[in-house]
Amino acid sequence: VDMVERRHPTPEEPIFARQAMNVGVLVKDLGKIAYSAALEAQSWHVQKHLESISQPHLVKNTILLCEHPPVYTFGRRSLNKYIEEDEKRLKSLGAEVHKTKRGGQITFHGPGQLVCYPIMNLRTLKISLRSFVCRLEESIIQLCSQFDVLSQRSPHTGVWVGDSKICAIGLQVSRGVTSHGLALNCDNDLSWFEHISPCGIKGKGVTSLSQQTGTAVNTEEVRPLLIQSLLHQFNLQVLADCHPPQATDKHSVTRVHTETGI
């Protein structure tokens, strides 16, 4: 499934209605991991969901968090726009190049960027794909606000600060099970984006939390805040055998239920 058409809520379909209550979720920190290894991890979790598609309660939704070495990834909408010479040019920069099945076009992942792959069955969440994307966006918008960074949605996908994208979103959905996800720029080297048109959008820029705040905001600091924000937006509860990192009091999210363990 490609990215959702735009998308502002209407009275007939409020985006934050009809969600399931206290759905359990596993949170797994993969650390710094090759993009191919992260694909394998996603595929494993997706396959478990698909094997139990008629009994979705048997498989737990999972949030995978990681960072990647430098890698350019092509979404399905960009596969016909880039030729072999483009691939060679990007590899010559010292990055890997991968063609993927997610929606969207080309983007970059690298150290200092926090990547989140939510492997979730939309049936258990009781929301539409459109609502799922909007909740991902809202999670990032609320996270950015904790750093006094004003971000917003736009007619394009992802989350933006003015005309610069701070978080890219691209998904694949198989029989109601999501994979791929979002990439939030924390303190990554933004010069890697200069070699592409990020997400296929010309005339727009990219930014990061560090650039917006004028201070180093690393992924270790952001990781627990992202988890908290996702838990709140999707009304999720971390399962007892999962211990995600703790947020500091400076950026605590008071609206998260105490039973989540955050």
Side-chain angles (χ1 to χ4, degrees), residues 9-200:
T10 65
E12 293 76 19
E13 188 185 358
I15 62 172
F16 297 120
R18 205 172 60 83
Q19 69 182 65
M21 298 299 291
N22 295 324
V23 176
V25 66
L26 294 169
V27 178
K28 298 185 178 182
D29 189 347
L30 303 180
K32 294 181 179 179
I33 185 174
Y35 188 78
S36 58
L39 283 178
E40 290 179 4
Q42 291 182 74
S43 296
W44 187 89
H45 285 282
V46 169
Q47 186 59 35
K48 290 297 179 183
H49 276 287
L50 297 181
E51 289 172 356
S52 303
I53 200 70
S54 62
Q55 297 177 296
H57 62 282
L58 297 180
V59 181
K60 301 304 181 184
N61 293 314
T62 304
I63 295 173
L64 303 177
L65 299 168
C66 64
E67 290 181 64
H68 293 308
V71 56
Y72 291 98
T73 67
F74 293 82
R76 290 186 303 177
R77 288 172 56 198
S78 65
L79 294 182
N80 295 327
K81 297 182 180 180
Y82 284 83
I83 57 179
E84 186 176 349
E85 284 71 18
D86 293 314
E87 204 170 320
K88 291 179 179 178
R89 175 177 58 84
L90 296 176
K91 287 181 177 179
S92 71
L93 301 173
E96 293 185 357
V97 175
H98 286 270
K99 298 176 181 178
T100 76
K101 296 180 180 180
R102 64 164 171 79
Q105 300 196 34
I106 188 171
T107 193
F108 171 80
H109 302 304
Q113 183 190 67
L114 182 57
V115 180
C116 173
Y117 298 124
I119 315 299
M120 298 189 184
N121 188 324
L122 296 177
R123 295 178 182 85
T124 64
L125 299 178
K126 299 187 179 186
I127 59 175
S128 66
L129 175 58
R130 176 174 174 271
S131 179
F132 183 82
V133 173
C134 288
R135 289 168 194 267
L136 289 180
E137 292 173 333
E138 189 64 24
S139 296
I140 298 301
I141 291 170
Q142 293 303 317
L143 186 158
C144 289
S145 70
Q146 294 178 72
F147 293 92
D148 296 323
V149 174
L150 180 61
S151 60
Q152 60 191 3
R153 297 179 178 89
S154 85
H156 306 291
T157 59
V159 176
W160 297 72
V161 179
D163 284 334
S164 296
K165 181 176 282 191
I166 196 168
C167 181
I169 296 177
L171 299 172
Q172 180 183 4
V173 183
S174 302
R175 297 169 66 188
V177 179
T178 67
S179 59
H180 294 273
L182 63 85
L184 174 62
N185 296 330
C186 298
D187 62 348
N188 45 313
D189 181 357
L190 299 179
S191 67
W192 287 95
F193 290 97
E194 296 172 3
H195 305 282
I196 59 174
S197 294
C199 302

Side-chain angles (χ1 to χ4, degrees), residues 212-262:
Q212 289 297 314
T213 60
T215 60
V217 181
N218 61 44
T219 58
E220 292 299 319
E221 181 179 1
V222 175
R223 187 176 287 109
L225 303 178
L226 176 59
I227 295 170
Q228 288 184 330
S229 196
L230 290 169
L231 295 180
H232 174 71
Q233 292 300 324
F234 288 93
N235 201 16
L236 299 171
Q237 179 175 341
V238 175
L239 297 176
D241 61 347
C242 182
H243 302 283
Q246 301 292 305
T248 62
D249 290 339
K250 177 182 177 182
H251 298 300
S252 62
V253 180
T254 58
R255 294 179 296 176
V256 176
H257 298 300
T258 56
E259 63 265 27
T260 62
I262 297 296

